[in-house]
Amino acid sequence: MSGKSKKKIRVITSSLLALLLIFGVVGNIALAHFSDVITAPFTTIDIESREEAEARKYSETVAQMIVDEGVVLLKNNDNMLPITTSSEKKTKVNVFGWSFTNPIYGGTGSGKVNIETAITPKLGLENAGFEINEQLYNDYVALNIERPIIDLDGQDWTIPEPIATEFYTAERMEQATDYSDIAIIFIARSGGEGADLPRSMDGPDTFDLEGGLFGASGSKYGYEDDLDPDKHYLQLSNREKGMVDAVTAHFDNVVLVVNSSNPFELDWVDGYSQIKSIVTVGGPGQNGFNSVGKVLSGEVNPSGRTVDIYTRSLLDPPAITNFGDFDYVVENVDGSYEQAVDAKGVPLKYIDYSEGIYVGYRFYETAAVEGAINYEEKVQFPFGYGLSYTTFEQEVVSESLDWDDTDVTFDVKVTNTGSTEGKEVVQIYYSAPYTGKIEKSSVNLIAFDKTDMLQPGESVTITISFKVEDMASYDYDKIYSSTGSYVLEEGEYKLYLMHNSHEKIEDIGSKSLAETVFGSGRSTDGQAPVNQFDDHVTGEGSIATYLSRANGFENISQIDNNEELTITTDDGEKTVKGKLIEADFVNVINSARYDVPADKHTDPPTTDAKNDKKLKDYIGVDYDDESWGELLDQLSVNDMVDLVTLGGYRTVEIPSVGKPATRDYDGPSGISTFISNDSIDGTAFPSVVVLASTWNLHLAEKMGEAIGAEGQAYNVTGWYAPAMNIHRTAFGGRNFEYYSEDGLLSGKMAAVTTKGYESQGGYVYMKHFALNDQEQNRTLGVLTWSNEQAMREIYLKPFEITVKKGGASGVMSSFNSIGAVWSGASNALLKEVLRKEWGFQGMVNTDFYMNGPGLEEFPYMVFELGIRNGNDLYLTGLAPRGVPQVNTASNDTLWAMREAAHNILYTVVNSNAVEER
């Protein structure tokens, strides 16, 4: 393996930027008793230096560019938008909805954002030339409603809005209609780390603002008149419905602005002809509401596209059946039932990915082809959908298609046929033959690109290229080989130029391919991919039936194998959804979680050698160079223990080898320290849903460069990002910090973001590896069941692309388990797939680690198993509490720590933390 060349460090220069804060809707209320340890690794950023000011100024510019292109126009009847306005002759508008006074700028948890210096929606519209009805705005402010807290351990899901009959009085509506005949309805939804979005807006109020370790605890579901067990969080609340009725009764020209990183259910809009236009934007960050104003005024022509399918009912997708809270239950001697727990008392929870590969658009497009659904009745807006104020023509350049045994390339000509400048997205999909042996979606995104700004009448030619092997499917059932492998099944493969996942522009071409089994791997594989997870996800506890498109998805009723069970708890009886299991299965789980194998090494590694080597001597040295042994021999046992166990927001200094300390910080929207009482806040970028909605890889790379330049200016090397789990459903609490439901779009975005960040000399920790696609029960090590085809084609794909194309140097493993094996202790995941198949060279950190003296929150995250199976570093953010005790008498553990030290030192020496000789 070749070593990494020393990265050239550069700072992108611009003029001074005023202090920006990573925005947050939550304070750190209950952290006082941890303040000494939480604050220890962090430092305060001095924004007065020229380098930091220049980095922030560039970041602000890039953030604005992202939201300019990340706003998505979903509807524009009668060409209501844009609304003509100017600074000289401002257009008056009414804006309805309390959230306009207190919107969502980002997410919570590690992606939280602070609103103190943000551009508000009101200011964004005013900057674009609109005049806001101040009386109406001030009436909302006078309500003294506060944005409900959505915290790590507690969530108030109240949707803040006044009672319609009391607020939207005849007098107030008369004032509004006299002010302007244009109405904007503003609706917002939040989300964040620690909880998924409710699918039923009803339940007891257990919310306690100061009851949790990291702030609030418990849950609240809204005002009494909004509680409704048949409604979910991503629907109109009863109060919002009253607002919409009031507005549409008085206005014929209404624009709906949805401020949400999760798709909002919009089927109801079809019942209101007055709502002519819909604009949606996720958390826009520091200055993104300027972009919303510019889109409404036409200063910016929207070019964003959806990154998830918008179904008419968000509870319709097959994945919803197995999303949420599911319990393993055991039967007692007396015939009663109780919650199954492991040997350490951890409740046993599970989640079944029974839908297989049919996530998001892959199900709906395939079901439509199979005649299993009426597409228009089920889907409102396809994946990749978005409107513009101009029109474009796309066509494949005649005779440009070159399709040989290994590569496909062709040209697409894009012409702006309208009267307004704009940008267009080119989307390429393929279909593979469905033989019934390996599941296939009817269409799959395989390539995309975006034009630069095109003037009316202007054309540009875009070249598209990809590998034939990129159309291969993974044969986990071992039909074509004895080991499992990627396969191109025999048959006709078709390529389509499309507006989105559903609307075809033209056929590009097709080709009949012979059967190809990639038994030796694909061209990008270091080791041939074979079934690595049979020990994890087959056998006892595994899924018996996966969704299949055979006979029009006739087995869809068989993917729900959960039942309602009444269990006995300390508080009485409780009804849960889950499965009844035998005690033997609990023993299997305990063995996978807690059994540490006997040592295989008879001797310990060499330590405390006096070889006079320094880490800086290894800049650019190949990972596999034998000389690394001399450096590693110098480490003491205590050196290795400190290096691997004290990995919370840092890597520690190791004087024996001249290793400096590094600072490694959150989060997905920029440099921050979200749990520190001495907060460090870089520029707040928009949520990555907004970035992905641009479909612009150039902007994604710029975002990485900008955050990397800030990191360099702040002396921050590691970045706990990008996050690239999948939007398996619309209700994922952390969907705001993940890109999309599609693995290719997610991977390409993450790869160039990684490339941009690491070009500045830092290293990323791509996260959360892997199958951490819901928040509920993740910190209980929820047993996650899937098949290897879905894992490789959907959930692992973003990480694979980020390693192979982005050169990621760091990984964060996840809390959850794959089958019964904690992801951070999975040799299959962290060594066989990540390192051997993908060629990863770098270090793997855990997610937040609290499993040691004084704080044993996650006992299933066993250090001995993690370190031996490829998890190098432990994110002990509350050190010295929760730091694992290391069995230094174990030779296998010592050798594993030596390997982990190699990985950490290799990553750090190839970063900006180590100076050139």
Side-chain angles (χ1 to χ4, degrees):
M1 300 179 190
S2 61
K4 297 184 180 179
S5 61
K6 183 66 176 178
K7 301 176 180 72
K8 293 183 178 179
I9 313 305
R10 62 187 174 90
V11 174
I12 306 165
T13 60
S14 298
S15 60
L16 178 66
L17 169 66
L19 171 61
L20 303 180
L21 298 174
I22 292 294
F23 316 145
V25 295
V26 183
N28 293 311
I29 299 170
L31 294 179
H33 60 297
F34 287 128
S35 62
D36 55 335
V37 291
I38 291 175
T39 304
F42 304 124
T43 60
T44 301
I45 295 176
D46 175 12
I47 65 163
E48 300 302 323
S49 76
R50 177 183 175 186
E51 183 181 22
E52 290 162 353
E54 289 173 344
R56 285 170 175 265
K57 178 62 177 178
Y58 181 73
S59 291
E60 183 185 44
T61 300
V62 173
Q64 184 74 76
M65 293 167 63
I66 291 169
V67 191
D68 280 354
E69 295 192 28
V71 174
V72 182
L73 178 63
L74 294 175
K75 179 179 179 178
N76 198 24
N77 288 0
D78 301 334
N79 292 320
M80 180 175 176
L81 294 178
I83 301 168
T84 302
T85 189
S86 68
S87 56
E88 294 79 22
K89 187 176 181 181
K90 295 181 181 291
T91 297
K92 295 181 177 181
V93 295
N94 300 286
V95 185
F96 292 89
W98 175 87
S99 288
F100 184 66
T101 69
N102 195 334
I104 302 300
Y105 294 91
T108 67
S110 65
K112 81 167 191 174
V113 291
N114 187 311
I115 63 175
E116 291 182 20
T117 62
I119 298 294
T120 66
K122 181 174 183 287
L123 183 57
L125 265 63
E126 289 172 340
N127 289 343
F130 293 102
E131 185 175 317
I132 307 300
N133 184 339
E134 290 283 351
Q135 181 173 328
L136 177 61
Y137 183 87
N138 291 333
D139 286 347
Y140 279 116
V141 173
L143 294 170
N144 292 319
I145 298 174
E146 295 184 0
R147 170 64 62 187
I149 298 297
I150 296 179
D151 215 339
L152 280 167
D153 298 322
Q155 302 83 33
D156 181 353
W157 299 109
T158 298
I159 298 168
E161 182 65 32
I163 297 173
T165 54
E166 296 177 0
F167 187 80
Y168 302 105
T169 61
E171 180 182 5
R172 182 166 284 125
M173 298 309 290
E174 181 179 0
Q175 187 275 333
T177 54
D178 288 345
Y179 184 83
S180 172
D181 64 353
I182 299 173
I184 298 171
I185 295 175
F186 191 98
I187 290 174
R189 291 296 186 270
S190 186
E193 183 174 1
D196 298 309
L197 309 188
R199 284 167 291 146
S200 177
M201 293 297 286
D202 197 10
D205 180 359
T206 61
F207 186 75
D208 182 348
L209 189 61
E210 300 183 9
L213 178 65
F214 294 104
S217 66
S219 299
K220 181 179 179 180
Y221 295 95
Y223 306 114
E224 186 175 349
D225 55 304
D226 263 347
L227 296 178
D228 189 336
D230 296 324
K231 283 194 173 184
H232 56 72
Y233 184 68
L234 296 173
Q235 284 178 292
L236 282 181
S237 69
N238 295 333
R239 292 190 178 192
E240 286 176 327
K241 174 68 163 54
M243 172 186 65
V244 171
D245 288 342
V247 172
T248 54
H250 290 84
F251 293 89
D252 293 326
N253 298 298
V254 181
V255 176
L256 173 63
V257 176
V258 179
N259 171 209
S260 172
S261 292
N262 300 67
F264 191 75
E265 194 166 287
L266 291 168
D267 184 55
W268 57 272
V269 174
D270 291 350
Y272 295 91
S273 60
Q274 302 93 331
I275 300 178
K276 305 292 178 61
S277 302
I278 305 174
V279 169
T280 182
V281 64
Q286 165 68 26
N287 51 18
F289 281 116
N290 274 335
S291 300
V292 175
K294 291 190 288 185
V295 166
L296 296 182
S297 71
E299 182 181 345
V300 166
N301 187 353
S303 61
R305 301 291 184 268
T306 57
V307 296
D308 302 307
I309 197 169
Y310 277 62
T311 52
R312 293 188 178 276
S313 167
L314 296 180
L315 297 178
D316 185 67
I320 284 288
T321 301
N322 292 286
F323 179 86
D325 185 23
F326 299 94
D327 295 276
Y328 283 129
V329 174
V330 292
E331 185 175 3
N332 297 316
V333 176
D334 63 2
S336 63
Y337 294 146
E338 69 177 6
Q339 168 78 61
V341 297
D342 73 11
K344 297 287 188 177
V346 180
L348 294 179
K349 304 281 190 172
Y350 72 92
I351 192 78
D352 288 343
Y353 286 26
S354 301
E355 70 280 1
I357 67 165
Y358 297 107
V359 178
Y361 76 87
R362 286 176 169 81
F363 171 72
Y364 286 96
E365 302 302 339
T366 308
V369 168
E370 293 290 337
I373 63 167
N374 180 312
Y375 190 87
E376 283 68 29
E377 290 180 359
K378 291 286 188 179
V379 177
Q380 191 164 16
F381 303 112
F383 169 81
Y385 179 86
L387 301 177
S388 170
Y389 296 151
T390 190
T391 55
F392 294 95
E393 179 181 89
Q394 295 188 38
E395 57 182 336
V396 178
V397 176
S398 178
E399 299 184 1
S400 68
L401 176 61
D402 184 4
W403 185 342
D404 60 26
D405 290 342
T406 59
D407 296 277
V408 178
T409 183
F410 54 88
D411 295 328
V412 176
K413 182 181 179 182
V414 182
T415 303
N416 184 343
T417 57
S419 57
T420 303
E421 68 176 16
K423 296 185 177 184
E424 175 69 320
V425 177
V426 175
Q427 301 179 44
I428 309 301
Y429 295 77
Y430 77 93
S431 68
Y434 178 60
T435 66
K437 296 177 181 179
I438 302 176
E439 291 303 321
K440 307 269 180 61
S441 171
S442 61
V443 293
N444 300 271
L445 180 70
I446 195 166
F448 64 91
D449 205 344
K450 191 170 190 177
T451 69
D452 292 330
M453 190 68 72
L454 294 180
Q455 298 301 316
E458 185 180 2
S459 298
V460 68
T461 298
I462 290 178
T463 298
I464 300 290
S465 61
F466 55 88
K467 295 287 185 182
V468 173
E469 64 189 22
D470 293 343
M471 296 186 287
S473 301
Y474 191 78
D475 171 26
Y476 81 98
D477 249 346
K478 304 176 185 177
I479 296 168
Y480 292 94
S481 70
S482 62
T483 59
S485 60
Y486 280 95
V487 176
L488 286 167
E489 287 192 283
E490 180 181 3
E492 188 175 23
Y493 290 74
K494 301 177 181 179
L495 302 178
Y496 309 112
L497 175 63
M498 301 183 73
H499 287 299
N500 49 63
S501 65
H502 190 66
E503 298 175 284
K504 184 173 68 174
I505 299 173
E506 67 171 287
D507 295 319
I508 298 170
S510 64
K511 191 171 185 178
S512 293
L513 301 182
E515 176 188 306
T516 303
V517 178
F518 293 94
S520 299
R522 299 158 298 171
S523 64
T524 60
D525 294 322
Q527 171 181 285
V530 298
N531 279 21
Q532 295 290 354
F533 298 95
D534 283 352
D535 290 344
H536 293 40
V537 298
T538 63
E540 194 165 5
S542 63
I543 299 170
T545 301
Y546 286 94
L547 187 60
S548 171
R549 70 185 279 189
N551 301 315
F553 291 100
E554 69 175 358
N555 75 341
I556 195 167
S557 63
Q558 299 174 34
I559 67 170
D560 184 358
N561 292 297
N562 313 296
E563 57 180 320
E564 289 195 348
L565 298 164
T566 300
I567 62 173
T568 301
T569 72
D570 291 341
D571 298 323
E573 291 189 339
K574 175 184 176 182
T575 300
V576 300
K577 291 190 72 174
K579 295 177 183 177
L580 188 64
I581 60 173
E582 300 293 333
D584 286 347
F585 183 45
V586 178
N587 293 334
V588 170
I589 297 170
N590 284 330
S591 178
R593 285 186 167 182
Y594 300 114
D595 288 355
V596 178
D599 277 8
K600 296 180 180 179
H601 288 89
T602 57
D603 297 307
T606 300
T607 56
D608 300 294
K610 307 300 181 184
N611 293 329
D612 295 325
K613 296 291 185 179
K614 295 297 181 184
L615 184 57
K616 66 181 181 181
D617 300 333
Y618 289 81
I619 293 173
V621 174
D622 288 358
Y623 178 87
D624 289 327
D625 192 290
E626 291 183 1
S627 67
W628 275 100
E630 298 178 61
L631 183 75
L632 297 174
D633 286 349
Q634 291 180 198
L635 296 171
S636 68
V637 171
N638 287 338
D639 284 342
M640 292 190 292
V641 170
D642 288 348
L643 185 57
V644 302
T645 64
L646 300 178
Y649 306 100
R650 59 180 170 173
T651 66
V652 295
E653 180 183 8
I654 305 294
S656 66
V657 293
K659 181 205 171 290
T662 67
R663 298 185 182 98
D664 302 345
Y665 290 168
D666 281 308
S669 296
I671 303 294
S672 72
T673 55
F674 89 98
I675 68 164
S676 173
N677 283 343
D678 291 342
S679 182
I680 296 174
D681 300 312
T683 302
F685 282 81
S687 63
V688 298
V689 165
V690 179
L691 175 64
S693 297
T694 69
W695 289 63
N696 189 328
L697 296 177
H698 181 61
L699 285 180
E701 185 167 2
K702 281 182 174 292
M703 176 174 166
E705 289 175 347
I707 296 174
E710 285 197 50
Q712 182 187 348
Y714 310 151
N715 198 23
V716 171
T717 307
W719 180 37
Y720 290 165
M724 59 196 76
N725 297 100
I726 293 296
H727 298 175
R728 183 169 170 253
T729 76
F731 295 89
R734 263 173 125 168
N735 280 9
F736 75 96
E737 68 176 89
Y738 307 145
Y739 297 94
S740 171
E741 68 183 33
D742 183 76
L744 180 85
L745 178 60
S746 301
K748 284 185 172 291
M749 283 284 170
V752 293
T753 301
T754 295
K755 181 180 177 183
Y757 183 86
E758 295 198 348
S759 74
Q760 303 301 298
Y763 46 78
V764 303
Y765 291 91
M766 63 176 192
K767 64 182 186 180
H768 306 89
F769 195 52
L771 277 72
N772 183 178
D773 306 295
Q774 69 173 45
E775 291 301 284
Q776 192 160 23
N777 300 327
R778 64 179 182 135
T779 55
L780 297 176
V782 57
L783 281 73
T784 309
W785 301 95
S786 182
N787 65 47
E788 200 149 339
Q789 180 188 10
M791 289 171 66
R792 289 182 178 273
E793 294 184 18
I794 308 292
Y795 301 100
L796 297 184
K797 178 170 278 190
F799 298 96
E800 179 182 11
I801 295 171
T802 304
V803 170
K804 292 181 175 180
K805 300 294 186 182
S809 297
V811 175
M812 181 183 290
S813 61
S814 51
F815 281 118
N816 62 285
S817 302
I818 300 174
V821 179
W822 169 43
S823 73
S826 171
N827 182 80
L829 182 69
L830 302 183
K831 289 191 174 182
E832 295 297 329
V833 172
L834 177 65
R835 296 187 185 277
K836 295 179 183 179
E837 289 186 16
W838 299 348
F840 173 77
Q841 293 180 323
M843 59 183 170
V844 178
N845 200 355
T846 65
D847 207 325
F848 208 88
Y849 195 89
M850 297 185 290
N851 192 22
L855 200 61
E856 192 174 19
E857 290 292 312
F858 313 129
Y860 66 91
M861 297 170 73
V862 176
F863 172 80
E864 302 286 340
L865 294 175
I867 199 72
R868 295 183 185 197
N869 288 291
N871 209 122
D872 307 306
L873 193 61
Y874 291 75
L875 205 166
T876 47
L878 300 183
R881 301 175 187 177
V883 175
Q885 288 184 312
V886 178
N887 178 16
T888 56
S890 164
N891 289 335
D892 279 20
T893 296
L894 292 176
W895 279 104
M897 287 197 297
R898 178 185 172 98
E899 181 181 347
H902 185 188
N903 294 331
I904 296 167
L905 294 174
Y906 177 79
T907 305
V908 171
V909 78
N910 287 291
S911 74
N912 59 18
V914 178
E915 296 180 358
E916 299 275 5
R917 296 182 184 87

